[in-house]
């Protein structure tokens, strides 16, 4: 709550997916919103990690910046190897999937843009966007590495790796958000 009990502050995303300190006015008598949520302060690519308000209207806030990169580590022997960084970005790189031939698919989130899917070589080189546009997440290789299943604009779709053509998979929205490819490619 704001010091005058006429609003609420929280960390959230604005319409362009930018991290902001948000505010909404609240009627003290009814508890109903008196305005639409508004962005007050940019969090410079971080996330709100604690907020405290003074009676005179100052805010003390923590801004968390996460190193969200891809690493690999050899776990094949008795001893675990040292992690090796594959990406070194200031953007969020997550959801990695390894193809049988070693190529890597992953999701990338740049604040203010839609999440996208990318591929790269096993050593982290040769990064290529999966598609030129669209909100993509959760890329998953097919068993033969010829296609990638991705959530594209909220629905699952196949992306042919040779042509980069997409083929939508008709599912209800409630199912689509968590679609996972069966290990033998037999279904979702």
């Amino acid at each position: 709550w704001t010091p005058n009990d006429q609003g609420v502050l929280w960390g959230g995303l604005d319409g362009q997916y930018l991290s902001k300190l948000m505010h909404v006015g609240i009627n003290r008598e009814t508890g109903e919103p008196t305005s639409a949520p508004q962005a007050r302060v940019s969090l410079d690519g971080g996330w709100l990690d604690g907020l405290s308000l003074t009676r005179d209207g100052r805010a003390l806030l923590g801004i968390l910046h996460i190193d969200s990169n891809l690493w690999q580590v050899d776990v094949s022997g008795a001893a675990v190897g040292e992690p090796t960084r594959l990406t070194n970005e200031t953007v969020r790189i997550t959801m990695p999937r390894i193809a049988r031939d070693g190529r890597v698919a992953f999701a990338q989130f740049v604040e203010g843009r839609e999440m996208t899917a990318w591929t790269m070589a096993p050593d982290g080189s040769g990064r290529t966007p999966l598609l030129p546009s669209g909100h993509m997440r959760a890329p998953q290789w097919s068993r033969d590495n010829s296609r990638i299943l991705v959530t594209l604009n909220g629905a699952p779709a196949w992306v042919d790796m040779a042509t980069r053509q997409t083929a939508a998979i008709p599912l209800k929205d409630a199912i689509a958000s968590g679609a996972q490819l069966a290990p033998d490619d037999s279904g979702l």
Side-chain angles (χ1 to χ4, degrees):
W1 287 94
T2 57
N4 61 6
D5 290 333
Q6 292 183 347
V8 176
L9 294 165
W10 75 95
L13 300 177
D14 69 8
Q16 285 103 21
Y17 304 108
L18 297 173
S19 297
K20 303 283 185 176
L21 180 63
M22 304 293 288
H23 173 268
V24 66
I26 301 291
N27 181 307
R28 289 171 65 168
E29 302 299 321
T30 66
E32 296 293 319
T34 60
S35 65
Q38 298 174 341
R40 289 284 176 98
V41 176
S42 173
L43 300 180
D44 295 326
W47 296 92
L48 185 66
D49 188 32
L51 172 66
S52 183
L53 302 172
T54 64
R55 293 190 185 274
D56 65 1
R58 291 178 292 128
L60 176 65
L61 47 109
I63 300 175
L64 175 66
H65 288 270
I66 299 173
D67 178 352
S68 182
N69 280 282
L70 300 184
W71 297 74
Q72 69 179 353
V73 61
D74 184 359
V75 295
S76 61
V80 174
E82 287 295 314
T84 303
R85 185 186 285 267
L86 290 180
T87 60
N88 190 15
E89 302 293 332
T90 57
V91 300
R92 291 183 183 97
I93 296 179
T94 187
M95 300 179 194
R97 296 286 195 200
I98 300 173
R100 289 179 182 259
D101 65 4
R103 288 179 294 166
V104 178
F106 60 93
Q108 176 176 290
F109 177 73
V110 177
E111 189 161 352
R113 299 182 188 165
E114 294 181 312
M115 184 177 280
T116 55
W118 292 65
T119 61
M120 68 181 179
D123 65 358
S125 66
R127 287 188 218 160
T128 307
L130 185 60
L131 295 171
S133 64
H135 181 85
M136 294 166 265
R137 63 181 190 84
Q140 301 168 60
W141 292 96
S142 64
R143 287 179 60 84
D144 66 1
N145 302 328
S146 67
R147 302 178 296 171
I148 291 182
L149 176 71
V150 66
T151 302
L152 176 61
N153 299 323
W158 284 111
V159 178
D160 182 284
M161 292 306 294
T163 65
R164 301 296 168 124
Q165 296 296 309
T166 62
I169 300 172
L171 287 178
K172 293 182 181 179
D173 289 339
I175 298 171
S177 66
Q180 292 289 314
L181 185 59
D184 62 359
D185 286 357
S186 63
L188 298 179

